[in-house]
Amino acid sequence: MTEAVQNVSQSQIEVENLNLWYGEKQALKNISMQISKNSVTALIGPSGCGKSTFIRCLNRMNDLIKNCRIEGRVLIEGKDIYGPDVDAVDLRKNVGMVFQKPNPFPMSIYDNIAYGPRIHGANKKDLDGIVEQALRSAAIWEETSDRLKSPALSLSGGQQQRLCIARTLAVKPRIILFDEPTSALDPISTSRIEELIMNLKKDYTIVIVTHNMQQAARISDYTGFFLMGELIEFGQTRQIFHNPQERSTEDYITGRFG
Amino acid sequence: MVRERYFQQLDLLKKCVLSFGELAELIFRDSMSSVIDLDISLAEKTLALEFEADKLEGRIEASVFDLLALQQPMASDLRLVVSTLKISADLRRVVGLSMNIAKIPGRMEGGHVKPLIDTGKMANIVAFMLENSLRAFETQDAQLAREVAARDEEVDKLFYAVWVELIEMMAKDTSIISRATNLLFLIRYLERIADHCCNICESVVYLVTAKKVTLN
């Protein structure tokens, strides 16, 4: 806990007065948040509250949506990612993302992992090492080392998700965004991914959107509660789940909504 | 409300603790009356109630484990569940100490060695503390909890005064040692019950404010 508190001073992501509209509809309202390095930050809130929209602002995934307009600043390591000289592809290399449904490419396990490094110009002779390292870091090496040429789609759902995490790690990002990474997985696969996320924070900064409140409580250092496009409360996870300061946070996490 | 059944369970748990509290109050008052009046039949009636207390304690524990295992309470709900478990343990000790008190009349052949004036005062304060610590729990009133716990000091002072008095009496007249020792035990039990009331008050402050405090 003390370590996490000290890390507040080393913000890796700083969001300042972020507003976002889909056409006329405002989806994010004046969000400011500082996310510290080597921490896990969980974002919770009911469907449609803006948490996924928010996380997608952190690697400019919303650029791809028509009629989406953004105001405010998102600084990553001090640099505004919406600045004119920022290349979105480079940004997404540094800020990786893992989605709700595992989405391996329809190719071999090996090629899934090698895909990113190849695009970014990795040397062919380094590829074997990069693939092994990524699979090891995503805790799936043991299960795949003897079948690297098999189709990735032959893996189970939980394995596919770890493969997708390995694929993200292979391009050496500094931040990883998880958008409900376990909502399609069984409890054992979920535990594996949770354990993995907690281990990954040694080397990465992690932001995770989850509908599973116990998951947020288990794995995160900080929790943000979103409601109707606003960040209602943001603080240490222990505080949020033990003694939230805002009534609506309390109502949400104890199931008193609606 | 989306978790209707869950809220009913929480409500039931709270009511169960309050019923346990009422039973503990009744047992305490009757055990004190049985000592003051040396009423052996009331003492026996009181001793027979221990079994009811065990039943209630068991129900509260089962309900707490069910809620923790099946509902994963959070925030103030979690504090309520944890507090009820602690309060229930304190109430069980209050009942246990009251049982010890109710056993005294059977050992007091020859009557009291002195009028129970200060001891009666102690008992009244303890009864007030027990009643109001439970009211503070019921109404989630941290201020009342603090006020109730503050009265522990009066109990401690009376305990010490009666203690000294009894020791002096025994030094002068050794024939009363057996009966006077029973009174020493009595005031010790009262002092302990007051401490358990303070614990209940601490649980109430935690429930309301999420802060751990020491009140005695």
Side-chain angles (χ1 to χ4, degrees):
Chain A
M1 190 60 66
T2 322
E3 203 181 330
V5 172
Q6 283 165 351
N7 277 342
V8 172
S9 55
Q10 308 179 15
S11 293
Q12 187 158 31
I13 307 173
E14 288 166 82
V15 178
E16 294 172 0
N17 307 318
L18 186 70
N19 288 281
L20 182 145
W21 292 261
Y22 293 126
E24 292 297 300
K25 189 186 171 332
Q26 186 166 7
L28 291 177
K29 295 172 188 164
N30 216 31
I31 310 287
S32 293
M33 186 192 259
Q34 302 208 332
I35 294 171
S36 40
K37 205 174 168 182
N38 298 111
S39 67
V40 177
T41 299
L43 306 178
I44 59 169
S47 292
C49 68
K51 57 193 187 300
S52 287
T53 296
F54 175 79
I55 203 177
R56 293 161 64 92
C57 288
L58 303 181
N59 66 348
R60 287 182 52 175
M61 292 293 278
N62 291 317
D63 285 14
L64 310 171
I65 296 172
K66 245 183 158 182
N67 296 327
C68 176
R69 186 162 61 85
I70 294 171
E71 281 176 10
R73 300 209 303 167
V74 177
L75 305 174
I76 289 184
E77 288 160 0
K79 190 172 178 188
D80 187 352
I81 63 167
Y82 287 92
D85 56 338
V86 173
D87 177 63
V89 176
D90 266 353
L91 169 71
R92 292 180 199 133
K93 178 176 172 294
N94 280 326
V95 187
M97 194 160 194
V98 176
F99 299 89
Q100 178 174 9
K101 210 169 153 239
N103 54 352
F105 302 139
M107 47 181 81
S108 71
I109 293 169
Y110 185 98
D111 287 339
N112 260 274
I113 310 298
Y115 189 89
R118 276 188 188 128
I119 285 183
H120 292 289
N123 205 315
K124 204 169 176 184
K125 66 175 170 33
D126 296 333
L127 274 180
D128 286 0
I130 292 173
V131 169
E132 179 176 341
Q133 184 53 44
L135 289 169
R136 279 190 189 282
S137 300
I140 192 179
W141 173 250
E142 308 282 318
E143 292 148 81
T144 54
S145 59
D146 58 351
R147 51 193 283 208
L148 292 173
K149 297 293 168 197
S150 308
L153 291 164
S154 68
L155 297 169
S156 74
Q159 288 172 327
Q160 287 185 18
Q161 192 63 308
R162 277 179 286 144
L163 179 79
C164 291
I165 295 172
R167 189 176 64 193
T168 304
L169 300 179
V171 294
K172 305 206 176 311
R174 289 200 287 280
I175 296 164
I176 308 175
L177 310 174
F178 288 89
D179 195 353
E180 292 190 54
T182 63
S183 55
L185 303 182
D186 70 59
I188 293 170
S189 302
T190 297
S191 303
R192 287 222 174 95
I193 303 263
E194 288 183 3
E195 200 63 29
L196 178 58
I197 289 173
M198 286 187 276
N199 288 332
L200 288 174
K201 78 170 177 182
K202 284 198 304 284
D203 303 309
Y204 306 90
T205 299
I206 290 164
V207 185
I208 174 171
V209 165
T210 177
H211 273 131
N212 181 335
M213 234 119 38
Q214 274 73 36
Q215 177 169 76
R218 279 194 296 268
I219 68 173
S220 70
D221 302 300
Y222 299 91
T223 297
F225 169 58
F226 280 78
L227 185 63
M228 295 194 290
E230 288 181 68
L231 177 62
I232 303 294
E233 188 166 352
F234 179 54
Q236 290 191 354
T237 296
R238 194 175 182 283
Q239 164 82 17
I240 299 284
F241 286 98
H242 190 206
N243 187 25
Q245 301 302 298
E246 297 296 329
R247 182 73 213 204
S248 55
T249 314
E250 169 101 24
D251 285 349
Y252 181 69
I253 63 175
T254 58
R256 281 176 174 76
F257 256 178
Chain B
M1 293 287 193
V2 272
R3 298 177 75 186
E4 206 60 60
R5 222 184 98 75
Y6 166 59
F7 300 134
Q8 279 170 5
Q9 277 178 298
L10 283 176
D11 207 40
L12 199 65
L13 174 63
K14 205 173 155 180
K15 283 190 179 128
C16 222
V17 172
L18 290 169
S19 303
F20 194 8
E22 277 171 30
L23 179 67
E25 277 185 70
L26 173 79
I27 290 175
F28 170 68
R29 282 177 200 278
D30 283 357
S31 71
M32 267 322 292
S33 300
S34 77
V35 169
I36 287 168
D37 303 334
L38 294 179
D39 180 343
I40 291 179
S41 101
L42 181 60
E44 280 168 357
K45 241 174 74 188
T46 307
L47 289 168
L49 288 174
E50 187 167 23
F51 148 82
E52 291 290 333
D54 284 338
K55 262 201 329 207
L56 268 173
E57 190 193 24
R59 260 179 70 186
I60 289 166
E61 275 187 17
S63 173
V64 164
F65 293 141
D66 273 356
L67 277 159
L68 288 174
L70 306 179
Q71 300 284 4
Q72 291 97 33
M74 293 277 195
S76 61
D77 293 347
L78 178 63
R79 302 203 302 274
L80 175 70
V81 170
V82 172
S83 300
T84 52
L85 190 62
K86 293 189 69 173
I87 290 172
S88 164
D90 279 311
L91 287 173
R92 186 63 189 83
R93 287 308 304 138
V94 169
V95 168
L97 290 160
S98 300
M99 291 295 144
N100 294 344
I101 292 173
K103 285 173 193 157
I104 293 175
R107 303 194 297 253
M108 287 294 270
E109 256 176 66
H112 293 300
V113 294
K114 70 182 211 67
L116 302 184
I117 295 165
D118 281 349
T119 308
K121 275 189 205 160
M122 268 179 95
N124 284 339
I125 299 170
V126 172
F128 170 90
M129 290 174 75
L130 185 56
E131 185 188 337
N132 285 281
S133 61
L134 289 162
R135 183 179 298 163
F137 169 71
E138 186 179 11
T139 57
Q140 306 219 350
D141 185 342
Q143 180 55 34
L144 177 60
R146 286 175 190 280
E147 285 167 21
V148 170
R151 300 207 61 184
D152 188 49
E153 209 175 313
E154 295 168 56
V155 175
D156 288 348
K157 275 186 186 148
L158 285 164
F159 168 74
Y160 187 69
V162 179
W163 177 274
V164 170
E165 189 187 356
L166 285 168
I167 299 288
E168 283 170 1
M169 284 172 69
M170 285 190 277
K172 280 183 199 145
D173 179 0
T174 51
S175 72
I176 63 162
I177 283 179
S178 170
R179 286 178 298 150
T181 305
N182 277 318
L183 287 188
L184 281 180
F185 275 114
L186 172 62
I187 58 170
R188 174 69 180 154
Y189 298 145
L190 285 171
E191 188 267 332
R192 288 300 301 144
I193 292 174
D195 288 345
H196 286 290
C197 294
C198 288
N199 292 347
I200 293 172
C201 292
E202 288 173 2
S203 294
V204 172
V205 172
Y206 169 72
L207 168 62
V208 179
T209 66
K211 290 196 179 76
K212 295 294 292 173
V213 291
T214 306
L215 295 178
N216 67 334

